[in-house]
């Protein structure tokens, strides 16, 4: 009996409260470390879907609709065929971040008018009065892209990751500070972008794809691309 007692392990340490405190502290540190790592990774571009460049032929064949009572369907190439165009693919008209970017682009309107280059926007749906309420921020013509082709060729989405990205919080603060507000009507996870397309077959001169909510295009880059547009002349159209 004495030999059995001597050979049994001493489990008295389990009754020591400091042992459990140390265990809980280790679990807490591990959980904090895992959360910190997840937050760090979420703020890199490692897990962001990479955009696929849109070929001119792809964009030319997109069907767009006017937003009149009797809508007209036409091919997107009509927008830039003669003078090129700047086109904003709006993620969600009611989003205050999209409204802020639209206002940014509108600040270029006087210069674009001077250069003879039109500014357009496309939306992926028409919900209630969302397009009408968007027009104070974007005074150019707006068209409906029901098949969401301008958001492709491969559609990219940002879901809950957007809530933990520091860039999104910064973009939101910047828009809020600028006095912009919005709502939650409509689909807002499919990311949008901005295109500068040359006239005729000149091609896509700038393609900005949102990598996160509120990722605005660089306005200087837009102007630089616009200045490369060569308006079509009767001679060039015949050739």
């Amino acid at each position: 009996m004495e030999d059995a007692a001597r050979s049994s392990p001493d489990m008295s340490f389990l009754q020591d409260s400091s042992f459990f405190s140390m265990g809980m502290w280790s679990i807490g540190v591990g959980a904090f470390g895992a959360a910190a790592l997840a937050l760090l990774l979420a703020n890199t571009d490692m897990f962001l879907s990479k955009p696929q460049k849109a070929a001119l032929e792809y964009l030319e064949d997109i069907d767009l609709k006017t937003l009149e009572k009797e809508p007209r369907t036409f091919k997107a190439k009509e927008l830039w065929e003669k003078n090129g165009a700047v086109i904003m693919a709006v993620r969600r008209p009611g989003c205050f971040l999209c409204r802020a970017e639209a206002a940014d682009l509108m600040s270029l309107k006087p210069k674009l008018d001077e250069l003879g280059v039109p500014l357009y926007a496309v939306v992926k749906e028409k919900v209630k009065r969302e397009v009408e309420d968007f027009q104070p921020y974007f005074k150019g013509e707006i068209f409906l892209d029901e098949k969401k082709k301008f958001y492709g060729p491969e559609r990219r989405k940002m879901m809950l990751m957007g809530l933990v990205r520091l860039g999104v919080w910064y973009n939101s603060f910047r828009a809020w500070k600028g006095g912009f507000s919005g709502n939650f009507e409509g689909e807002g996870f499919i990311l949008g972008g901005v295109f500068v397309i040359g006239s005729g077959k000149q091609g896509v001169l700038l393609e900005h794809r949102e990598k996160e909510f509120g990722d605005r295009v660089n306005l200087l880059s837009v102007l630089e691309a616009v200045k490369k547009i060569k308006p079509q002349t009767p001679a060039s159209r015949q050739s």
Side-chain angles (χ1 to χ4, degrees):
M1 294 291 292
E2 291 179 1
D3 291 341
R6 281 197 297 269
S7 63
S8 61
D10 183 7
M11 305 294 286
S12 60
F13 69 92
L14 293 176
Q15 300 175 2
D16 188 345
S17 60
S18 62
F19 171 79
F20 287 101
S21 298
M22 183 179 296
M24 294 302 293
W25 182 83
S26 299
I27 292 172
V29 169
F32 176 79
L37 179 61
L39 183 62
L40 178 66
L41 291 175
N43 279 280
T44 68
D45 295 345
M46 186 181 302
F47 297 107
L48 296 181
S49 55
K50 300 296 186 289
Q52 182 181 343
K53 293 290 185 182
L56 179 63
E57 293 74 16
Y58 168 85
L59 295 171
E60 285 178 328
D61 199 45
I62 294 175
D63 289 321
L64 296 178
K65 280 186 179 180
T66 60
L67 295 173
E68 304 157 342
K69 288 185 179 179
E70 296 183 5
R72 178 178 75 91
T73 300
F74 64 97
K75 293 297 182 183
K77 67 180 180 180
E78 284 188 27
L79 299 181
W80 61 79
E81 202 161 26
K82 293 181 180 179
N83 298 305
V86 178
I87 302 172
M88 178 183 181
V90 183
R91 181 169 54 80
R92 189 170 64 80
C95 172
F96 75 120
L97 295 170
C98 298
R99 291 175 173 182
E101 181 169 14
D104 252 12
L105 283 173
M106 284 307 301
S107 70
L108 299 179
K109 190 73 165 60
K111 186 63 178 177
L112 295 178
D113 289 344
E114 182 183 320
L115 294 169
V117 177
L119 174 62
Y120 302 114
V122 296
V123 294
K124 60 176 97 86
E125 58 185 354
K126 191 177 186 306
V127 180
K128 298 180 181 178
R129 287 189 50 82
E130 291 307 293
V131 173
E132 290 83 354
D133 293 342
F134 184 67
Q135 287 174 324
Y137 309 96
F138 189 90
K139 295 180 173 62
E141 289 187 78
I142 303 175
F143 304 98
L144 179 63
D145 176 14
E146 287 182 314
K147 296 181 180 178
K148 306 177 180 65
K149 294 286 189 176
F150 265 100
Y151 303 83
E154 186 176 326
R155 294 176 202 162
R156 298 168 305 115
K157 290 186 177 183
M158 173 159 281
M159 307 295 281
L160 296 179
M161 186 187 294
L163 299 177
V164 297
R165 286 185 65 86
L166 297 179
V168 174
W169 284 97
Y170 170 74
N171 296 337
S172 299
F173 175 75
R174 182 173 58 167
W176 172 79
K177 194 175 180 181
F180 295 94
S181 59
N183 56 53
F184 295 99
E185 295 285 351
E187 195 285 323
F189 296 117
I190 298 175
L191 297 171
V194 173
F195 300 83
V196 177
I197 305 176
S199 64
K201 293 293 184 179
Q202 195 177 355
V204 181
L205 304 176
L206 181 144
E207 182 175 348
H208 167 77
R209 299 284 189 169
E210 279 186 308
K211 72 174 184 178
E212 61 188 4
F213 301 145
D215 177 27
R216 301 185 197 179
V217 67
N218 183 292
L219 297 183
L220 290 178
S221 298
V222 172
L223 281 179
E224 287 175 7
V226 166
K227 289 175 182 177
K228 296 177 184 176
I229 295 176
K230 300 172 183 176
Q232 289 279 288
T233 62
S236 62
R237 284 196 290 271
Q238 287 174 6
S239 61

